[in-house]
Amino acid sequence: MNHPSTISDDEFARHAGLPPGSRLREARLANGLTVTAAEVPDARWQRLVGAVNVGYLDEPDDCRGLAHLLEHALFLGSAGFPGAGELARWVGQRGGRYNARTDETVTEVHLHLPPADTDEGLARLVDMLARPRFEPGLVAHEVEVLEAEFRARLADPALHRLAALGRLCREGHPARHSHAGNRNTLGTDASRLAARLTDFHDHHYRAGLMALVMLGPLPLEAQLEQLTRHGATLPTGAVPSPPRTWRWAQPGGVAWHPPAASPGASALELFWPLPEEQAATHTDWLAAVAARLADGGLAATLQATMELDRLEVTLEPVGLGSALALSLAPTPDEETVQAMLATCCAALEQASVATLPAPSVSAADLDAWPRRYARQLPGSTERIPRGEALEESSLLPWLTPQQCRLLWQAPAASGRWKTLTETGTRWRPQPSLSEGVALPSRAPPDLCVRPRREDTDTTTPRELPRNEQFRLWCGKPARMRDTTPTSLCLGWPTPTSQLGARLCQWRQNTLPLRQAALERGLQLSCGGDARGDWLIVSGGADRLCSLAELALACWPEQATLPPCDPPTGLLAQRLLSQLETSAPRVEQAGALPMLGWVSDEQDAGAARAMLDCLAERLSAVPNLMAGTTPHEAREEIDGTRWLPPQGNDHVAMLEVAGPDDTPRNRWLLCLLAQCHDAAFQHEMRQRRGLGYVAAVRYREASGAPRLGYVVQSPHAEIDGLRQAIADFLTQQSEALACLTAAEMERRKRGLVAYAGYPETQTETIAQLWQALRRHAAMKNASPPWQPLPWEAESQALAALHADSLLDLAKDLAAGRLVQRWWLHQPR
């Protein structure tokens, strides 16, 4: 094994965007497998990813969905672990997570595990990739699961987006067709399908086309030893496959919308496809172009004349291969589309030829990093280290307005629309060459630099003298092991009425500001819940107060726009999201004063001034706080809620509220969800055959820990779904939660990864701020952050006993916990 370059492990990690103190090493084994180990000392989880260089573009034309079916079939058992659902059971017992995904060129499986379970988890992951079992009866069942999934996803705009995208691809190319996979495209001959899965697996699942990536706190050398030992068992080499051909037809555009378009839902994607080899050799230059487009200037330019909720720039667009892409919303009409197109093309031309600064490496998302890295590795022969100077002029012809493709999710309106037979997607050609005039360019928001004294970093956390209108703390209760940024947090009471719309408008107002902040290494987070609204700013101290002041100036006292996030994802996912946003009972939420926290005492004066100004704004708006009374703003959780019709499936979710917001009860609910989830899936999907989605999930929102038991079915009626969930709880709730002391300790060890020291600076600040808000709402007499929130969580977890979990399960089965039904049925 050889290191891919001469740079050190820590420098390699820094170039790859990992946190300070990390080490990274990559190697290729004798069988052709690429392995990557990332040691991140502050990580609590060990993340494992197995990726294969095969996706739906590699499927045979007469068996669309085969790659997706193979991804599902990997979980039906392997030679070493033959039980179907064995991985789900094993991971669940250890408090971990797992998932898998198939896209156009890569299939990947990922696990999150406590570090102590890494070796066995890697053995199970490699065995399922190398030696899956394709028993025809189980394969036939999985085809029905894919059929139900396909029907369920007909309500998800993401499926229709990919279907419309195919209209921009060449005739005869695999990318032109839907590859979701269903009963019609796969057929119902289970023995034939099992044979085709075997052939497809033998051809593609070879070490030379695969990668294993691991990220976590284990030492780099231990990670590499495990990766090498288990990776060596994968089949050697790679069977040559025909090269993937260029998918795109001549530049053009497509307008589309789902068969039942959501009122007002609209979005515009502009993208410039790039040759893969050239894009790979110009990674830094392309990143610099993308950073210039996302520095706040383009967003400010567009917002000067139109509403703009979202402007995202990416080099990893979903379903587009190698491309530079912009996503913008909303785009309600042709005139707006033309103005955006002209303005974005002009901005890209300027960004492509101007002298660009090297983009700063943003803080790593530890969940996403190993998956993204693994997806870049299969089949690659050499990685080019960052920082090498390369000639970018060869890419300039690919970034002209003439090479732009356009994908417009248009509002449903009159006009001549075509319909795709398989998905029902409505579409029509849309010109991609702009006839509009680019808007006058505007500069990004200016963040003023303020001189500061040298930070001695000795401030002890304490509350400053109280003001009758607010409370303010200063100091750093905890530090990350690497350098902690300066932070400033402010919160104030607000009505829960119009909460979603108000936050949506606030985020719209701050879009250019958030982009300008990121370009300067700062972060801005705007949030709200039943306790009120808040903002968190963190990063370089010299611009911190300026960022906070500008963000407060953007806060709307009252929303004038509806919520701007159109529904996406499966209906069951949309219902589960309600657990994080719906208002809890007032006694759980607690009243909250205006409050602030600054990590550096030098910012205390500025924070006081901002809170004073905010208090004047709140008092000057008549009836602004009228909605904060318990009866008007925070309804009881009891009752039934109906989701507006958004698809053809029936969905039922039982929401169960925890007794209170203490760490003890949060952990008990987490444990109960773990004990119930696998059995609930088996009962609803396998034994009762109700549908594609059946899950038990734990969620929290503003002082209300809760569980959701959700089932989505293409055929069962609402009353049947409700009865199935109720039967499960009365018949199995207690038995599944009746653990021996040894079983309880094992599950608690699995949950330790949730309770440890924060993994990132962002997580540290967020946990401390929410702990302070909880402390203020509960009017706790003890000092805030005593103990630190993660220490309190760890202590509560260690003190749990099996009989407490059983008592909670009995209360749930007997209906003694507060509950509410969330339901959906077709029109």
Side-chain angles (χ1 to χ4, degrees):
M1 299 190 306
N2 296 314
H3 197 284
S5 74
T6 58
I7 63 176
S8 63
D9 295 335
D10 55 349
E11 187 179 0
F12 193 29
R14 180 174 57 82
H15 286 161
L18 291 173
S22 303
R23 294 196 295 156
L24 176 65
R25 196 178 301 173
E26 180 182 314
R28 192 176 292 274
L29 307 186
N31 63 356
L33 177 72
T34 300
V35 298
T36 300
E39 178 189 346
V40 181
D42 284 321
R44 297 191 304 271
W45 293 100
Q46 202 73 26
R47 280 94 167 167
L48 312 179
V49 179
V52 190
N53 187 20
V54 62
Y56 58 71
L57 295 186
D58 304 298
E59 297 169 343
D61 293 337
D62 64 341
C63 201
R64 288 183 287 116
L66 188 64
H68 190 192
L69 178 62
L70 177 53
E71 173 215 308
H72 278 236
L74 292 175
F75 294 88
L76 299 179
S78 61
F81 306 93
E86 167 66 17
L87 183 72
R89 181 193 62 80
W90 183 83
V91 172
Q93 287 178 345
R94 282 143 187 85
R97 303 196 301 271
Y98 73 94
N99 213 331
R101 178 185 173 189
T102 302
D103 70 9
E104 66 266 34
T105 59
V106 176
T107 300
E108 53 99 350
V109 181
H110 58 273
L111 311 177
H112 290 189
L113 294 169
D117 295 307
T118 301
D119 195 57
E120 184 176 354
L122 189 57
R124 290 172 178 268
L125 174 61
V126 168
D127 198 65
M128 71 184 291
L129 293 172
R131 301 186 295 166
R133 300 171 69 244
F134 303 124
E135 197 277 313
L138 295 177
V139 169
H141 177 270
E142 214 58 33
V143 171
E144 294 306 308
V145 171
L146 285 185
E147 171 72 12
E149 177 182 351
F150 175 71
R151 298 299 167 191
R153 291 197 179 278
L154 291 177
D156 186 356
L159 180 140
H160 298 282
R161 170 190 174 272
L162 290 177
L165 188 61
R167 301 304 91 197
L168 295 174
C169 297
R170 293 189 296 107
E171 290 283 352
H173 195 280
R176 192 167 176 85
H177 306 290
S178 171
H179 286 260
N182 55 71
R183 194 187 298 132
N184 289 334
T185 65
L186 291 167
T188 56
D189 187 335
S191 297
R192 174 178 172 272
L193 266 179
R196 298 202 74 167
L197 285 171
T198 299
D199 292 342
F200 194 73
H201 177 270
D202 289 347
H203 185 84
H204 293 285
Y205 279 59
R206 297 276 175 169
L209 297 175
M210 302 175 75
L212 292 177
V213 176
M214 184 187 297
L215 179 151
L218 291 179
L220 190 68
E221 294 73 18
Q223 294 190 38
L224 285 169
E225 187 279 327
Q226 293 182 15
L227 288 166
T228 301
R229 174 161 42 87
H230 293 293
T233 65
L234 288 165
T236 300
V239 178
S241 299
R244 297 187 181 108
T245 57
W246 183 253
R247 75 181 77 176
W248 302 108
Q250 291 299 311
V254 165
W256 66 276
H257 65 78
S262 301
S266 62
L268 177 66
E269 292 180 71
L270 306 175
F271 62 97
W272 289 259
L274 302 170
E276 288 190 12
E277 291 186 5
Q278 289 176 276
T281 57
H282 294 80
T283 302
D284 281 352
W285 183 78
L286 286 169
V289 173
R292 174 61 62 87
L293 292 171
D295 69 355
L298 177 58
T301 297
L302 292 169
Q303 277 198 344
T305 58
M306 64 185 68
E307 295 176 0
L308 187 67
D309 299 329
R310 185 178 79 241
L311 193 165
E312 298 172 355
V313 186
T314 180
L315 298 174
E316 299 175 349
V318 175
L320 301 180
S322 294
L324 186 150
L326 287 82
S327 177
L328 310 98
T331 50
D333 51 44
E334 294 266 3
E335 183 179 356
T336 302
V337 168
Q338 290 300 315
M340 285 183 169
L341 175 57
T343 304
C344 290
C345 284
L348 177 57
E349 285 188 302
Q350 183 179 7
S352 300
V353 299
T355 302
L356 299 169
S360 58
V361 178
S362 59
D365 180 336
L366 297 187
D367 283 346
W369 189 95
R371 296 179 57 196
R372 184 173 63 250
Y373 204 79
R375 297 170 75 84
Q376 299 171 358
L377 297 180
S380 64
T381 56
E382 182 179 1
R383 295 184 62 79
I384 299 175
R386 293 172 57 97
E388 292 190 4
L390 296 168
E391 179 58 51
E392 69 276 359
S393 59
S394 61
L395 272 184
L396 289 176
W398 296 93
L399 298 177
T400 63
Q402 292 73 27
Q403 291 299 322
C404 177
R405 272 78 169 175
L406 179 152
L407 196 62
W408 178 30
Q409 181 183 355
S414 59
R416 302 186 63 179
W417 293 89
K418 304 177 183 180
T419 302
L420 295 177
T421 303
E422 187 171 10
T423 61
T425 309
R426 309 295 301 280
W427 74 282
R428 69 185 183 202
Q430 180 72 28
S432 63
L433 289 178
S434 175
E435 298 177 358
V437 178
L439 300 172
S441 178
R442 288 180 174 248
D446 184 27
L447 299 176
C448 299
V449 176
R450 298 184 178 179
R452 300 175 62 88
R453 304 186 308 272
E454 183 178 350
D455 185 5
T456 58
D457 200 26
T458 59
T459 304
T460 300
R462 69 189 190 284
E463 183 178 2
L464 298 177
R466 291 197 181 189
N467 181 293
E468 62 180 15
Q469 294 179 307
F470 58 80
R471 301 172 65 183
L472 180 64
W473 286 262
C474 77
K476 295 180 179 178
R479 289 183 54 89
M480 291 295 290
R481 294 180 181 91
D482 54 290
T483 303
T484 304
T486 305
S487 58
L488 186 155
C489 309
L490 302 175
W492 52 97
T494 53
T496 54
S497 59
Q498 285 196 309
L499 173 62
R502 187 175 65 249
L503 291 181
C504 187
Q505 184 165 341
W506 192 14
R507 287 164 184 157
Q508 179 191 90
N509 296 347
T510 57
L511 174 61
L513 183 62
R514 283 182 281 121
Q515 291 189 342
L518 281 175
E519 196 272 331
R520 292 165 174 80
L522 296 100
Q523 288 186 306
L524 165 63
S525 174
C526 305
D529 55 28
R531 288 183 173 137
D533 291 355
W534 76 82
L535 68 82
I536 302 175
V537 295
S538 61
D542 55 352
R543 289 186 169 93
L544 201 72
C545 292
S546 176
L547 175 59
E549 289 169 354
L550 292 174
L552 278 179
C554 293
W555 179 71
E557 286 88 354
Q558 295 186 4
T560 59
L561 301 172
C564 53
D565 295 325
T568 58
L570 295 176
L571 290 166
Q573 294 170 328
R574 300 179 199 176
L575 281 180
L576 285 170
S577 69
Q578 298 294 327
L579 302 180
E580 301 174 353
T581 57
S582 59
R585 294 177 296 178
V586 65
E587 61 265 30
Q588 287 184 315
L592 197 66
M594 292 183 61
L595 72 160
W597 167 46
V598 292
S599 62
D600 192 323
E601 191 170 9
Q602 295 186 57
D603 297 321
R608 282 182 179 276
M610 282 184 264
L611 286 168
D612 280 331
C613 181
L614 183 59
E616 290 183 15
R617 287 179 63 186
L618 295 176
S619 62
V621 180
N623 301 320
L624 175 62
M625 304 311 298
T628 61
T629 61
H631 296 294
E632 294 182 12
R634 300 185 178 98
E635 62 182 294
E636 291 290 328
I637 197 173
D638 304 281
T640 299
R641 289 289 192 89
W642 289 88
L643 200 68
Q646 299 171 30
N648 295 323
D649 283 1
H650 296 81
V651 191
M653 182 180 74
L654 179 64
E655 175 184 5
V656 181
D660 55 46
D661 191 29
T662 59
R664 176 183 182 275
N665 280 303
R666 291 198 293 272
W667 285 124
L668 286 174
L669 285 177
C670 283
L671 281 166
L672 195 61
Q674 283 189 9
C675 292
H676 284 181
D677 185 43
F680 186 75
Q681 288 187 52
H682 183 270
E683 174 72 12
M684 302 298 160
R685 292 178 57 180
Q686 274 74 38
R687 201 179 81 78
R688 296 184 182 241
L690 289 178
Y692 164 60
V693 180
V696 184
R697 295 290 183 264
Y698 171 80
R699 296 289 189 268
E700 291 180 30
S702 59
R706 54 190 79 183
L707 295 181
Y709 292 76
V710 64
V711 182
Q712 178 168 341
S713 176
H715 47 79
E717 297 292 331
I718 286 294
D719 289 343
L721 295 180
R722 292 181 64 163
Q723 190 61 49
I725 295 173
D727 289 347
F728 174 84
L729 294 177
T730 56
Q731 297 169 11
Q732 301 189 49
S733 178
E734 295 181 42
L736 292 169
C738 188
L739 305 181
T740 66
E743 289 173 330
M744 183 70 171
E745 288 305 311
R746 186 188 67 214
R747 287 190 177 272
K748 285 164 60 176
R749 285 196 300 271
L751 286 174
V752 167
Y754 288 100
Y757 202 92
E759 292 184 311
T760 64
Q761 297 170 348
T762 300
E763 185 182 0
T764 303
I765 296 168
Q767 285 197 35
L768 292 169
W769 172 238
Q770 296 304 335
L772 179 59
R773 296 180 76 233
R774 183 180 292 116
H775 175 275
M778 299 300 181
K779 299 177 173 60
N780 198 326
S782 64
W785 307 304
Q786 295 294 322
L788 291 167
W790 44 90
E791 293 174 353
E793 297 287 337
S794 297
Q795 293 167 9
L797 179 61
L800 289 182
H801 297 286
D803 55 354
S804 299
L805 179 64
L806 183 58
D807 289 341
L808 181 67
K810 290 179 178 179
D811 287 342
L812 176 57
R816 289 191 288 268
L817 299 180
V818 179
Q819 301 176 357
R820 173 166 61 185
W821 286 99
W822 294 80
L823 307 172
H824 173 274
Q825 63 182 9
R827 293 181 178 85

